[in-house]
Amino acid sequence: MPTYKIRGIDVEFPFEAYDCQLVYMEKVIQSLQNKCNALLESPTGTGKTLCLLCAALAWRKSLGAFSRGRSERSKVRGSQGDDEFSQTQSSEFPRIIYTSRTHSQIRQVIQELKRSNYRPKTVVLGSREQLCINDQVRSLRGKAQTNACHALCRKRSKRYCSHFSRVTEFVKKNPGIGDDPIDIEDLVNIGRSSGPCPYYLSRDLHKDVDILFAPYNYLIDRGNRKSLKIDWQNSILIFDEAHNLESLCADAASFDLPASLLTACISEAQKCIDLSITRRDESSDKSCNPDNFAILRALLLKLEKRIAEVPIDSKELGFTKPGPYIYQLLSELNITQETADMLTDIIEKACVLLEEDANGSDSGGTNKSNGTYFRLESMGDILNMIFRDNSNAHAQYYRVHVHEVEATDSFRGKTSRTLSWWCFNPGVALEEFSRLGVGSIILTSGTLSPMDSFAEELKLEFPILLENPHVISGNQIWAGVAPAGPSGYSFNSSYRNRGSIEYKSELGNAIVNFARIVPDGVLVFFPSYYLLEQCINCWKTTGQQNLTNSTTIWERICKHKLPVVEPRQSSLFPTAIEDYMTKLNETSSSGAIFFAVCRGKVSEGLDFADRAGRAVVITGLPFSTMTDPKVRLKREYLDLQSQKFGNKGLTGEEWYTQQASRAVNQAVGRVIRHKHDYGAIIFCDERFTNLNRQAQISLWIRPHVKCYSKFGDIVYTLTRFFRDGGARVLPKLELTQNEDSESVRGLESSQPLEKYHPEKLLLPQIKIEPTCSLDSSSSTKQVKQNSIFSLWREIVPANRSSLTSDKISQDLFLRCSSDLRTMKEPSISGKGSSQDFDGESSDLAASSILKKRRLLITGPDQSKHHEKSDHKISNLAKKKSFGFTENVSIQNPLERVVLLDDEIVTENGTVVHNIREHKDVLSQSVLNNKEETKGSAFLTQVREKLTDAEYKEFVGFMKALKSKAMKIGHVLQSIARLFSVPDRRPLLHGFKDYVPTKYHSLYEHYLCNNSDAAGI
C-alpha cells in the first residue's frame, strides 16, 4: 500500500494517488493541523471520501494509537460516572465525527473505510427505524416509534424489551466490538444473533470511539446533539455531501404552526383534563393536576384567537414582522422567558399521561404498545426553539410570518392560517460548535459551487478553500450550450417563455435528436415538476406538421429511448429507478431516458455511472418561485444585511441566482462518475451563454463548456464525441477506485460492446483530399465554412480510430464536388418564416461522415447489383431534393459506403430529415490500390468459400449490425463459427483485419473457441 508524506504526516493510501487526491488530502491535513475550517469541493469520481478518511485518520494516528478494546476503559468507567469518564478519557485525543446526509451514504463511507489500512475504533449511529429489532416497535415511525420504545424500556413495563436489558452485559463480554468497521447492517446482525438492542448498543459504544459516523441531524438538531456523550473540545466535525447543509440548518432552526396542529393540541389538552379528573375521582391519584392542563388549553385557545386576529391586507404578501416580534406576540398570552419553562413541563406531563392512556398500562388493557405521536410534543419543541438558552439574541435572524392557505377536504372553500418563524441565517445551527471549542469543521461535496455564497450563508470562517479538478481528461467530456433548437427557436425556460407551444415543441425535437445520438442512458432535468408535466403532455399531442404519417414528439423520443418519468411521490421513486434500469438493459432498444427535476431525488446522491448516464440535459435554470413568501423574505433579509454592512456580503439577488446554479451543478454531477467514464453535458437555455452564469458552473466543467450558435454544430460535434467513445476510454471490468455516492444497482463498469456502432466494423477506409478544403474568403459565411470544414478533414472514421498506420490522416481521401463551396442550403421553416443556414454545407457534409453507413456486399452479379444501387441512390437524391448541381463521383462501387444520415428534426418536421434536405448524401470512394485490392479479394474469398445459404447468413449478420438487432459479441461469435471450417482458416484470420482493435481480444476469444471445437 503506497504511503505519502503530506505536511509531515505519513498517509497510507490503498492506491496510487492522483495529483488532485494529494492536493485534497493536503488541504484536509492543513485544516486539522491549524485547527481551522475548510470548504472542499472535489468532483464525484475523484475519491474524495477515501481521501478524507485516510488524511483525517493519518493525522489522528500521528497523535497517538487508536483506541483498541474497551476493557481498561470499562474499569475506569466503573469508578466514574459516564459524563465524568467521557470528559477525562476523550480529552486525550480529539474525536472525529463524520456525518453525511443519509444512512445509505454512511454505508458507502463505511465501505470506503474497510478498503483503507486504518482501523480506528468506530461505530455508526442510526435511528430506531434503521436499528430496532423489536417487532412491536420497528413497524412504527417518527415520535410514535420513540414513545413506544421508551415505554418498553421502562422496567415496570409489562412488556419490558428483552433486547434493551442485554446491552450492558454484551458490551462487557465483547470489549473489542468496533475495533473493525461496523455499519448499521452489522449492528442489526449482532442484535439478531446475540440479543442486544442495536440502537442502544451503538449509543453505548459511541462514548469510546475514535471516529463516529452519523447522519447530519445528530449534529444539527439540538436535542440529538445534547444526547451525545461527547467531549466537543478540539473534536473534528466532517460534513460530507454538504451541498444542502445550509438549507437543512435553516429548516432545523425554523418552525411552521398550522391551524390544524394548534387545534389538535387543544384537543389533547382537553383530553388530559378529562383523564386527570377521572384518575383523581377513581383512584385518588393527584399526581396530575387538571388545573395545569386547563391553563395549557386556555393559552392555546388564546394563541389560536390571536393568530386569527392578525391583520392580513394581502393574501399574497401575508403578515410579516421582524423575528423578535414573536416574543411580543407570546407575551400578550403571558408566555415569557420565565413562564415558558413551566409551560414545557406541563406539556411533558401531558404527553406522559396521554402515552399511559394509549398504552392502557393503568387500565390493564391489552392493546396498544403501538406508540402514538402527540401533537403537544411539537408545541413543546416550538417553545424550546423560541426560548432557547434563556436568550432572544438569535431572533434577529428570523422573520415572523402569518399567511392564509386554502382548506381542503370537508373544509373546502374556507381558509386557515399558519404561523411561521423562519430562520434566514443557517449559521445559527452551527454557531454553538464555536462555543463548544470544536477544533475544525470540514465541509465537502462534489458540488459546492458557487463557494463564496456557501461560506457567506453559514457565517463561518473558512480559511481553506479548494475547488478540485476532475481526474478525467478533456476528451472524456462534451459540454455545450444550445441557445436554440433545430429550427432556430430560442431556448429560454423563464416564466414568460416556457408556456408557449413553440418552446415546448422545440425542446422536444431537440431531445429527439439527443436521444438518437447519445447511446444508452440519458438524463433530462427540468426546473420544476410543473414544467416537466407540461412538456410531456405537449409532446404526447404535438406531432410533425406537413407530414402524411404524423407521429408525436413523444413517439419519436420513444423510438430511440424508453422513457421513465420521476414521480412526485418519494414512495414511488424506487420503482422508477428499477424501471429505468430494466429499460436501460432492454436489448430491443438503444437505451432509456429519465425525465427528472432539479432538486429532485434523481439529482441527489445517485450514481448514474457508465451506461446509466451517458448524457445529462439541463432544460433550464431551476429558480425558486419568486412569490413564495419564504423566498421573498429571504431575499429581503439578505438585502437588508448587505446594506447594514456597507453593501458587503451576499445580496438577495445573488443568493437567488446562485441557489439555482448550485441545483444545476448537482444535477450535472450525475454523469462522469469515475476516471474511466465519459459523457456529455448539454445546457438547453440561452442564458447559459452568459459568462457570469458560466462562472457559477463547477470548476471542473467550466473549461470544457462551448456555446454553439447552430444546432447542427451540436449534432455534429456530439455525434463525433460518442462515435469515438469506445476508443477514448478502455473498458474496465473493475474500477480501481470506487465511487463515493450511492450507486444505482445493477450497473457494470465495463462498457457494453454492442453500443459502439458495430455497423462501422467493416467499412472501407475513407480518403480525404486536402484540396477539398474551402477557399478562404472575407465573407463571414465562408469563414464559418472553413472553420467547420477544417475540423471535418481531421476526423478519423470510427473503424480507423484504433489502427496503427503511420499516416492515418494521409489514408483518408474524399473527392468532393466543387459545388460544395457555393451550394445554398434549403430554408428552415420556423415560426412562419424561412431561415437560411448561412452556407453550412461543409459543416453538415462533415456531419454526414459520422452517421450510419451501409456496406454494400455483392454477390456474383455485381454489375446488376450496383446498377440497382445506383438507381436507388439516384432516386433517393431526387426524392429528397438535394441541392447539388453535380453528383459526387463514385469510382469503386464494390467498396462503396452510402452515408445515410439520421434525422435532425425541427418543430414542423419539414427540415433536414436525416440531414438530407440540409446536406448532401456523401458517397465515399477512391480507396488506395492496396486497400481496394485487399477488400475486394477478401469479399471474393468469402463468396467463394461459403455456400449460398451461408453467404446469405453472413449478409444477414452484417445487416443486423446496421440495425443493431444483434449484439456485436454474438455477431463476431457467429462469423467465427462460419469461418471455423479447416479450409476457411484464411477467412477466420483475415476477418480480424476488419475488426477494430478494441474488439480484437473478444474476436480472438471466439476464434480460439471455434478452433478448439473444430479440432484445429
Side-chain angles (χ1 to χ4, degrees):
M1 182 172 290
T3 300
Y4 300 90
K5 186 171 286 292
I6 304 175
R7 295 181 64 89
I9 305 293
D10 289 331
V11 180
E12 297 178 67
F13 200 69
F15 312 100
E16 185 176 343
Y18 309 135
D19 289 343
C20 65
Q21 291 176 328
L22 294 174
V23 171
Y24 186 91
M25 290 189 285
E26 190 270 337
K27 293 297 184 183
V28 172
I29 294 175
Q30 181 184 357
S31 168
L32 301 179
Q33 288 177 333
N34 296 344
K35 293 186 177 181
C36 61
N37 302 330
L39 197 59
L40 310 176
E41 179 185 76
S42 193
T44 301
T46 55
K48 68 177 184 303
T49 298
L50 189 60
C51 291
L52 188 55
L53 287 169
C54 290
L57 291 173
W59 169 82
R60 164 62 184 82
K61 189 177 180 180
S62 70
L63 302 179
F66 291 132
S67 306
R68 306 285 291 179
R70 288 171 49 107
S71 55
E72 291 301 320
R73 279 177 277 170
S74 296
K75 295 177 183 178
V76 175
R77 188 182 300 178
S79 60
Q80 298 178 346
D82 279 353
D83 293 341
E84 182 183 355
F85 168 77
S86 65
Q87 292 177 6
T88 57
Q89 179 271 331
S90 301
S91 59
E92 183 180 357
F93 298 119
R95 184 169 304 177
I96 300 172
I97 298 95
Y98 192 115
T99 67
S100 194
R101 194 166 52 90
T102 64
H103 286 291
S104 58
Q105 289 170 344
I106 291 292
R107 187 181 304 116
Q108 291 279 337
V109 176
I110 300 291
Q111 293 303 314
E112 292 295 291
L113 177 59
K114 291 179 180 179
R115 302 171 70 203
S116 77
N117 205 33
Y118 295 99
R119 288 297 176 266
K121 191 152 189 87
T122 66
V123 75
V124 57
L125 295 181
S127 64
R128 288 179 175 85
E129 182 178 342
Q130 300 286 331
L131 292 169
C132 182
I133 57 175
N134 185 297
D135 293 334
Q136 291 179 306
V137 179
R138 61 194 300 264
S139 61
L140 305 174
R141 291 295 179 268
K143 289 192 175 182
Q145 188 178 54
T146 302
N147 293 339
C149 177
H150 287 162
L152 292 179
C153 291
R154 295 193 186 104
K155 290 186 177 181
R156 62 186 177 89
S157 172
K158 295 180 180 179
R159 290 174 293 275
Y160 185 56
C161 180
S162 60
H163 299 292
F164 174 72
S165 63
R166 299 176 188 174
V167 172
T168 304
E169 187 66 23
F170 180 84
V171 170
K172 288 181 180 179
K173 291 182 178 180
N174 298 273
I177 186 171
D179 288 354
D180 290 317
I182 54 175
D183 58 18
I184 286 176
E185 285 77 10
D186 296 326
L187 288 170
V188 171
N189 290 335
I190 290 172
R192 293 193 183 282
S193 62
S194 303
C197 171
Y199 177 80
Y200 284 104
L201 177 61
S202 66
R203 289 284 173 162
D204 189 280
L205 293 174
H206 92 273
K207 305 166 187 176
D208 302 319
V209 296
D210 298 303
I211 181 168
L212 172 67
F213 297 99
Y216 286 163
N217 61 308
Y218 281 85
L219 296 186
I220 296 173
D221 184 86
R222 292 169 58 86
N224 283 331
R225 188 165 64 234
K226 289 181 178 179
S227 71
L228 301 179
K229 304 296 183 181
I230 292 178
D231 177 18
W232 297 98
Q233 186 70 32
N234 294 324
S235 61
I236 308 303
L237 306 187
I238 296 174
F239 292 89
D240 197 1
E241 300 299 331
H243 47 272
N244 286 332
L245 186 62
E246 53 177 335
S247 60
L248 291 174
C249 287
D251 291 343
S254 305
F255 72 78
D256 292 296
L257 179 59
S260 58
L261 175 60
L262 195 51
T263 301
C265 289
I266 294 170
S267 298
E268 289 179 353
Q270 180 62 54
K271 187 173 183 179
C272 287
I273 296 172
D274 298 338
L275 287 171
S276 58
I277 292 174
T278 302
R279 283 192 177 190
R280 185 180 60 185
D281 294 344
E282 293 181 355
S283 60
S284 299
D285 184 356
K286 299 181 181 180
S287 60
C288 296
N289 187 349
D291 294 339
N292 290 335
F293 302 132
I295 292 172
L296 174 62
R297 180 177 179 276
L299 288 175
L300 294 175
L301 285 169
K302 285 184 178 181
L303 178 60
E304 183 180 49
K305 181 181 178 182
R306 183 67 184 85
I307 294 173
E309 292 173 349
V310 167
I312 296 180
D313 298 327
S314 169
K315 186 176 180 180
E316 181 179 335
L317 298 178
F319 172 85
T320 303
K321 288 289 185 179
Y325 177 79
I326 193 74
Y327 300 106
Q328 177 183 335
L329 186 147
L330 294 178
S331 66
E332 297 175 10
L333 312 177
N334 198 29
I335 302 175
T336 63
Q337 197 83 51
E338 291 72 25
T339 61
D341 290 341
M342 180 187 70
L343 198 56
T344 53
D345 287 341
I346 294 175
I347 290 175
E348 289 178 4
K349 291 179 181 179
C351 291
V352 171
L353 181 61
L354 291 169
E355 184 180 335
E356 290 175 350
D357 176 68
N359 291 330
S361 57
D362 290 342
S363 60
T366 56
N367 72 338
K368 291 183 184 181
S369 125
N370 291 341
T372 307
Y373 166 56
F374 305 110
R375 302 301 188 274
L376 279 172
E377 292 178 336
S378 296
M379 184 57 64
D381 294 338
I382 288 173
L383 291 174
N384 287 328
M385 184 183 298
I386 295 172
F387 295 102
R388 73 180 196 188
D389 301 329
N390 295 320
S391 170
N392 60 3
H394 57 290
Q396 61 180 312
Y397 307 118
Y398 285 75
R399 291 291 182 270
V400 175
H401 184 74
V402 179
H403 63 279
E404 290 184 340
V405 292
E406 191 86 12
T408 57
D409 302 330
S410 59
F411 298 98
R412 187 176 298 278
K414 298 182 179 180
T415 59
S416 64
R417 292 189 171 189
T418 298
L419 170 67
S420 301
W421 201 47
W422 290 327
C423 176
F424 293 131
N425 175 12
V428 166
L430 299 179
E431 64 180 2
E432 187 175 344
F433 291 120
S434 299
R435 297 195 298 269
L436 292 172
V438 167
S440 300
I441 299 177
I442 298 176
L443 307 184
T444 186
S445 179
T447 50
L448 292 177
S449 297
M451 294 180 70
D452 52 352
S453 67
F454 199 92
E456 179 70 25
E457 275 278 88
L458 292 174
K459 305 300 179 186
L460 292 175
E461 293 293 330
F462 290 96
I464 298 176
L465 300 174
L466 174 67
E467 290 184 88
N468 234 353
H470 212 297
V471 293
I472 62 171
S473 57
N475 65 353
Q476 290 173 248
I477 178 174
W478 186 102
V481 179
S487 65
Y489 190 91
S490 295
F491 287 140
N492 190 311
S493 66
S494 64
Y495 181 77
R496 294 187 300 274
N497 302 320
R498 66 190 183 199
S500 69
I501 296 295
E502 292 83 0
Y503 166 77
K504 288 181 278 193
S505 299
E506 189 81 344
L507 180 61
N509 285 319
I511 291 175
V512 169
N513 284 282
F514 299 146
R516 173 181 57 83
I517 295 169
V518 179
D520 304 314
V522 178
L523 309 177
V524 181
F525 287 98
F526 288 80
S528 65
Y529 282 106
Y530 174 79
L531 186 56
L532 165 63
E533 292 163 355
Q534 289 290 306
C535 285
I536 291 180
N537 291 337
C538 174
W539 298 340
K540 288 181 177 179
T541 57
T542 304
Q544 290 179 287
Q545 301 173 9
N546 302 329
L547 289 181
T548 305
N549 297 321
S550 176
T551 57
T552 66
I553 293 174
W554 185 252
E555 290 171 339
R556 284 183 279 135
I557 292 174
C558 296
K559 174 185 174 184
H560 300 291
K561 294 277 189 284
L562 299 178
V564 178
V565 180
E566 180 178 6
R568 285 180 181 262
Q569 301 90 338
S570 58
S571 60
L572 300 178
F573 182 70
T575 304
I577 284 291
E578 184 179 350
D579 186 26
Y580 178 71
M581 293 309 304
T582 300
K583 291 180 177 179
L584 182 67
N585 295 315
E586 184 69 45
T587 56
S588 62
S589 72
S590 61
I593 186 167
F594 209 140
F595 294 99
V597 175
C598 290
R599 298 191 183 94
K601 281 190 170 294
V602 175
S603 69
E604 290 284 337
L606 286 181
D607 179 12
F608 291 88
D610 301 307
R611 295 183 58 237
R614 281 291 174 232
V616 58
V617 180
I618 303 296
T619 64
L621 286 160
F623 288 111
S624 303
T625 306
M626 292 187 67
T627 55
D628 181 272
K630 203 169 186 178
V631 173
R632 175 173 55 82
L633 293 176
K634 172 76 172 184
R635 296 182 65 173
E636 293 176 1
Y637 168 82
L638 290 174
D639 287 337
L640 288 174
Q641 291 293 111
S642 178
Q643 296 171 11
K644 181 179 178 181
F645 295 102
N647 294 324
K648 293 181 180 180
L650 196 66
T651 66
E653 181 63 24
E654 289 170 343
W655 168 82
Y656 186 67
T657 57
Q658 291 179 8
Q659 286 295 107
S661 296
R662 191 169 291 120
V664 167
N665 289 334
Q666 186 64 19
V668 164
R670 297 313 93 207
V671 297
I672 313 181
R673 307 289 292 185
H674 56 80
K675 183 182 180 181
H676 304 287
D677 205 354
Y678 65 95
I681 300 166
I682 309 167
F683 299 99
C684 290
D685 196 304
E686 62 183 358
R687 290 172 290 182
F688 283 106
T689 59
N690 186 286
L691 294 179
N692 291 332
R693 186 72 59 195
Q694 291 183 27
Q696 295 180 5
I697 296 174
S698 293
L699 180 65
W700 69 274
I701 303 172
R702 243 175 276 162
H704 308 288
V705 177
K706 296 179 181 178
C707 298
Y708 296 88
S709 59
K710 297 279 190 292
F711 191 81
D713 295 346
I714 294 174
V715 171
Y716 162 70
T717 56
L718 199 58
T719 305
R720 178 183 178 185
F721 173 81
F722 283 109
R723 183 210 63 181
D724 295 337
R728 178 187 305 109
V729 181
L730 294 176
K732 291 288 178 181
L733 296 178
E734 211 172 289
L735 299 180
T736 57
Q737 300 192 28
N738 282 351
E739 186 41 55
D740 303 335
S741 61
E742 179 180 352
S743 296
V744 178
R745 304 298 179 194
L747 294 184
E748 295 180 356
S749 56
S750 58
Q751 308 299 334
L753 298 175
E754 68 270 21
K755 294 300 182 182
Y756 289 126
H757 303 286
E759 68 273 13
K760 300 178 183 178
L761 273 175
L762 291 183
L763 286 178
Q765 301 168 25
I766 306 170
K767 297 205 171 188
I768 298 181
E769 190 175 79
T771 57
C772 182
S773 61
L774 302 180
D775 296 332
S776 59
S777 170
S778 59
S779 70
T780 304
K781 179 184 294 187
Q782 288 176 322
V783 169
K784 290 181 179 179
Q785 289 175 330
N786 280 329
S787 62
I788 297 295
F789 202 72
S790 62
L791 292 175
W792 173 27
R793 290 187 293 127
E794 298 171 2
I795 297 173
V796 182
N799 64 311
R800 303 286 295 157
S801 60
S802 57
L803 300 182
T804 57
S805 173
D806 292 334
K807 297 182 180 180
I808 291 179
S809 60
Q810 295 181 11
D811 286 345
L812 302 173
F813 182 86
L814 183 68
R815 182 157 298 177
C816 300
S817 167
S818 60
D819 295 292
L820 280 173
R821 299 186 182 128
T822 57
M823 122 179 140
K824 291 286 184 181
E825 301 299 336
S827 62
I828 290 185
S829 298
K831 300 178 69 173
S833 61
S834 64
Q835 176 183 350
D836 187 31
F837 250 56
D838 295 329
E840 291 179 69
S841 58
S842 59
D843 137 75
L844 284 155
S847 132
S848 67
I849 201 172
L850 307 174
K851 304 299 178 182
K852 297 177 182 177
R853 295 154 176 152
R854 180 176 301 153
L855 175 64
L856 302 182
I857 303 177
T858 63
D861 191 6
Q862 296 179 2
S863 60
K864 291 183 180 180
H865 182 89
H866 292 307
E867 181 179 353
K868 183 178 179 180
S869 299
D870 291 339
H871 180 67
K872 289 172 72 175
I873 295 171
S874 176
N875 288 342
L876 177 62
K878 291 176 182 178
K879 182 178 179 181
K880 295 298 182 181
S881 304
F882 296 118
F884 284 95
T885 58
E886 179 180 335
N887 290 330
V888 178
S889 61
I890 300 176
Q891 298 187 4
N892 182 19
L894 174 63
E895 293 291 328
R896 154 174 40 190
V897 173
V898 180
L899 304 180
L900 297 181
D901 300 348
D902 285 329
E903 58 191 1
I904 286 185
V905 188
T906 62
E907 119 183 74
N908 57 13
T910 63
V911 184
V912 292
H913 294 292
N914 299 333
I915 320 183
R916 299 168 195 164
E917 297 178 24
H918 191 83
K919 314 289 176 190
D920 182 26
V921 168
L922 195 61
S923 299
Q924 60 190 46
S925 58
V926 195
L927 302 172
N928 61 34
N929 292 334
K930 180 179 177 181
E931 294 296 335
E932 176 181 338
T933 304
K934 182 178 179 181
S936 300
F938 180 76
L939 288 176
T940 301
Q941 290 179 31
V942 171
R943 187 67 188 91
E944 290 175 353
K945 294 292 184 181
L946 301 183
T947 65
D948 290 343
E950 289 174 330
Y951 183 75
K952 184 177 181 181
E953 187 179 4
F954 175 74
V955 173
F957 289 139
M958 303 312 299
K959 289 181 178 179
L961 287 177
K962 171 68 172 68
S963 63
K964 296 185 179 180
M966 297 170 62
K967 295 183 178 180
I968 191 171
H970 180 66
V971 171
L972 293 180
Q973 184 179 19
S974 300
I975 291 175
R977 175 181 53 78
L978 281 176
F979 294 160
S980 62
V981 179
D983 66 341
R984 299 174 186 172
R985 286 189 62 188
L987 298 180
L988 189 64
H989 295 283
F991 185 73
K992 180 180 176 182
D993 295 338
Y994 299 93
V995 178
T997 303
K998 59 180 175 289
Y999 301 138
H1000 278 185
S1001 60
L1002 180 65
Y1003 182 68
E1004 288 172 353
H1005 171 72
Y1006 296 135
L1007 186 151
C1008 293
N1009 287 347
N1010 283 283
S1011 296
D1012 293 341
I1016 298 175

